[in-house]
Structures are given as C-alpha cells and as structure tokens.
Amino acid sequence: MNGAHKEVNQSLDFLTILRRHFPVFIAAFFLALFSLAVSQILLLEVYPPSLDDYGIYMMLGSCGISLYLCGANLLVIRGRPWAVWLIVSAMVICMLLVIGHWGRRAPYLLYSIGLLLLLSTLLTLNSKRYRAMLVAMVEVRGQRAAWRQRFK
C-alpha cells in the first residue's frame, strides 16, 4: 500500500509531468506568441504610425504581448486551468483582427500566416495531450496545497 502511494506521488512529480507534456506546452506557447506577433505586425501595417514612433509601438506591443502570454502560461503551469481562456481570448482577438482587415494594404501571405498560426494554436490548446497536461497540473496543485497544509 505504501509503495503504491509512493509510485502515485512519483508519477505526479512536477518534473516528470513537465518532461512528458513539455512539447505540447511549448508548442502552444510559441504558436500563440507568433500568432500575436503576426497580428501586431498586421495591425501596424494596416494602421501605420509615423516612422519616428514605429519602433516605440513595436517595442511596447511586443512587451505587452510577452507579459500577457507569459502570465497566462504561468497560471496554467501553476494549475489554474481557467487561464487557458486568457490564451483563447487572445487568439479570438487575433482572428477578428486578421479576418476584419483581410485584403487591406498588407500582403495576403501575412494574413494567411496569421490565420494559420492562430488556428494551429487553438487546435493545440484543444488537443488531448494539452488537456491531459492541464489535469496533471491541477493534481500537482492539489498536492502542493496538501503539502502546505500538512507542514503548516
């Protein structure tokens, strides 16, 4: 009985889970990051600021995108499955931006890449492997809470 309990705890170890689910996690992260970046470039292409302000808009937008996405993924890693909806909402905004501005000023390849990346992100977030990672992260969060209560 005690050996089986140790085996369950070992299988729910954070590093073991990370090794098993890291590829799907990092794929979803980078797909979302590139999708947001392409949408930002598309937005700046359709509504160009002055040349003096272009770098500032690009830098501030990139920092904001990075902070938002890193925060959402940190919440996912910490076992908060509702944080996936933060990523999904960003992808829906990207989709509305790409579809809403289709055919204006920017090359069609940029629109196509933006749409492909955001749909790939949504497909990855909806995969069985990503869902299994979310379940495992929630279980690890429960273990951490039980551990804190036990040693409090």
Side-chain angles (χ1 to χ4, degrees):
M1 177 91 176
N2 195 11
H5 182 63
K6 184 177 180 182
E7 185 178 315
V8 170
N9 282 341
Q10 189 177 14
S11 69
L12 289 178
D13 179 30
F14 179 73
L15 291 177
T16 306
I17 291 170
L18 192 61
R19 277 188 220 112
R20 184 178 303 138
H21 297 290
F22 183 74
V24 73
F25 172 76
I26 204 69
F29 177 78
F30 278 123
L31 283 169
L33 185 67
F34 293 147
S35 177
L36 288 167
V38 168
S39 296
Q40 178 189 6
I41 291 168
L42 181 64
L43 191 62
L44 290 176
E45 183 73 25
V46 172
Y47 301 109
S50 67
L51 287 177
D52 296 336
D53 296 338
Y54 191 83
I56 293 169
Y57 282 112
M58 184 64 89
M59 185 188 67
L60 289 177
S62 298
C63 288
I65 287 168
S66 299
L67 287 174
Y68 179 81
L69 196 58
C70 287
N73 280 299
L74 181 66
L75 288 170
V76 167
I77 287 175
R78 296 295 293 172
R80 311 276 190 219
W82 55 264
V84 172
W85 289 106
L86 296 174
I87 303 168
V88 170
S89 65
M91 293 303 104
V92 168
I93 290 170
C94 286
M95 186 181 301
L96 292 174
L97 188 118
V98 169
I99 292 174
H101 293 100
W102 193 275
R104 296 186 190 169
R105 294 184 62 152
Y108 285 113
L109 183 62
L110 191 59
Y111 292 109
S112 301
I113 290 172
L115 200 58
L116 177 71
L117 285 171
L118 71 92
L119 290 175
S120 298
T121 303
L122 291 173
L123 184 65
T124 304
L125 292 174
N126 197 31
S127 69
K128 288 181 184 178
R129 187 109 183 210
Y130 198 86
R131 290 180 188 187
M133 182 197 70
L134 289 176
V135 169
M137 292 298 173
V138 169
E139 290 175 5
V140 168
R141 186 176 115 224
Q143 281 183 352
R144 282 193 307 257
W147 184 77
R148 269 187 250 125
Q149 289 297 325
R150 188 172 25 167
F151 292 108
K152 202 170 191 181

